[in-house]
Amino acid sequence: MIYREIGTSGVRLSLRGLGGHEYLADGRLRGFQEDFPRAITPGHVFAGFGQEPRRRVLKLAYDSGINFYDATQDSEKEALGRNLREMPPPFEAYVQTRPEAMMYDRDPGNRKMAEYPLLKAEVERILKLMRRERLDFLNLGITPDALKDSGYLARLRSTIERLKADGLVRLASADTFRGESVYLSMIASGAFDTIFINLNVGDDAGRGKVIPAARAAGMAVVAREAFMKGELFKMGAEVRLTDRAKLARAALKWLLAVPELTSAVVGAAEPEHLAGALGVVANPQPTSEDQTILERLKSSPLFQAYQAQRRREFLE
């Protein structure tokens, strides 16, 4: 495994991180695509997360040196915390997660996150749920509406600094689904240690200004959505790229070749899926076959529409 350090924090993340999503038999996401309103409700935990299939994935992750784990909904948080206690890794594991009912468009103007008592109470709730003493990475996602308040980011920075001083949070991650200007404002605020960003062969607009700005500020770059939430394979099928393993390998090699990348969070339903991705980490150099696959992928009308939409949304 390759490890990359985050500034002077002393934290070294594995190049490959593991996402917390679990999957239904038909490939849909557990929780989110079963009952979305309940999945994002603080305190709601679906039954069945973190069972034997997930433990097998975690065992391989440990054996391969993956030390970075992301969790989203409370069901994933609870399962990850339980699994880490029941089967502790042989090294320090870093956990990233996020507050519920505060991120993105779930709270108008993301006002709650900038209020120290409210965010502290949410962090303490998460720590109790996961049975951990500190969050390694607190991921905070805001919308452009938050920035209409000129003092918002200063208050958010103060809140983050207080949570760090309390020993509740180690590092903070900047996140948004609303584009370049929001990321650049978050980076310039000095409140964050990392960015968490969509980055893949069809969604790469962040390489223009955002990722260089983050690295110039000494921040880590953590990527997600390597496979475009599964859309990659629909695009491939459209242009007769039917070997999903080869297509996934080419897409992941593209991502790992981004020089500013610190870690890529990728999910895995089965140990075999994780093993394939780990093979890319061991041998990340793209081959001529990988390049041919990606060139063919780019001829897909689905790919072209996806890329155009993502670039437009990111830059608007």
Side-chain angles (χ1 to χ4, degrees):
M1 181 56 64
I2 298 168
Y3 297 89
R4 292 179 176 167
E5 193 159 355
I6 300 179
T8 60
S9 68
V11 174
R12 297 174 68 245
L13 292 187
S14 51
L15 180 59
R16 172 69 159 81
L18 183 64
H21 291 338
E22 297 190 30
Y23 301 86
L24 299 166
D26 61 5
R28 291 181 300 137
L29 294 178
R30 296 207 59 211
F32 286 128
Q33 293 180 322
E34 292 179 281
D35 188 333
F36 185 77
R38 286 201 296 166
I40 63 172
T41 298
H44 184 84
V45 174
F46 290 86
F49 276 74
Q51 300 305 309
E52 186 57 30
R54 184 62 178 179
R55 288 195 286 266
R56 291 198 300 270
V57 171
L58 284 172
K59 174 63 166 57
L60 179 57
Y62 296 172
D63 291 346
S64 305
I66 292 176
N67 70 357
F68 184 44
Y69 299 87
D70 179 66
T72 57
Q73 59 187 300
D74 274 5
S75 297
E76 295 176 11
K77 295 184 183 79
E78 187 280 329
L80 179 59
R82 171 166 39 87
N83 289 155
L84 290 174
R85 294 192 309 276
E86 293 173 345
M87 44 181 297
F91 43 71
E92 184 174 8
Y94 301 108
V95 172
Q96 173 175 271
T97 193
R98 66 193 195 185
E100 295 296 337
M102 294 184 176
M103 299 242 305
Y104 309 137
D105 58 0
R106 294 163 200 167
D107 173 43
N110 306 116
R111 292 187 297 268
K112 294 177 184 177
M113 287 196 302
E115 298 298 326
Y116 170 73
L118 297 179
L119 189 56
K120 180 182 180 183
E122 174 62 3
V123 168
E124 290 174 333
R125 183 193 72 82
I126 294 169
L127 290 172
K128 183 177 180 180
L129 177 66
M130 300 188 76
R131 298 190 189 180
R132 294 180 71 83
E133 295 182 356
R134 177 178 65 179
L135 291 183
D136 302 300
F137 293 80
L138 179 61
N139 185 47
L140 300 175
I142 70 173
T143 66
D145 285 346
L147 301 183
K148 293 177 181 178
D149 176 350
S150 61
Y152 179 82
L153 285 174
R155 294 197 308 276
L156 184 58
R157 177 175 178 168
S158 175
T159 294
I160 292 169
E161 289 174 347
R162 292 177 70 180
L163 292 174
K164 289 180 176 180
D166 292 337
L168 297 175
V169 170
R170 186 169 189 171
L171 300 170
S173 179
D175 184 9
T176 185
F177 283 113
R178 300 297 293 275
E180 182 177 84
S181 62
V182 178
Y183 270 121
L184 291 174
S185 295
M186 296 177 85
I187 292 166
S189 75
F192 300 94
D193 306 281
T194 75
I195 61 168
F196 197 32
I197 188 168
N198 286 8
L199 185 60
N200 56 63
V201 67
D203 189 358
D204 63 349
R207 298 186 71 184
K209 294 181 180 179
V210 171
I211 291 175
R215 295 302 294 147
M219 298 169 65
V221 175
V222 179
R224 64 187 170 209
E225 306 299 352
F227 306 139
M228 314 178 211
K229 292 190 181 299
E231 293 300 309
L232 173 72
F233 305 108
K234 296 178 184 177
M235 298 168 187
E238 189 176 40
V239 290
R240 293 180 292 178
L241 290 170
T242 56
D243 189 324
R244 292 166 64 99
K246 286 185 177 182
L247 180 55
R249 181 189 66 196
L252 192 52
K253 283 187 176 184
W254 179 94
L255 176 56
L256 297 186
V258 174
E260 301 93 345
L261 183 71
T262 306
S263 185
V265 173
V266 184
E270 301 289 343
E272 295 76 14
H273 300 159
L274 178 57
L278 290 168
V280 173
V281 175
N283 184 23
Q285 186 63 36
T287 65
S288 59
E289 181 183 28
D290 296 323
Q291 294 167 351
T292 298
I293 287 171
L294 294 184
E295 287 306 311
R296 188 165 174 178
L297 178 72
K298 292 174 183 178
S299 70
S300 157
L302 285 174
F303 176 91
Q304 293 166 5
Y306 176 93
Q307 184 178 60
Q309 179 181 354
R310 293 299 182 182
R311 287 180 175 173
R312 183 172 59 252
E313 291 173 349
F314 192 82
L315 298 172
E316 69 180 7

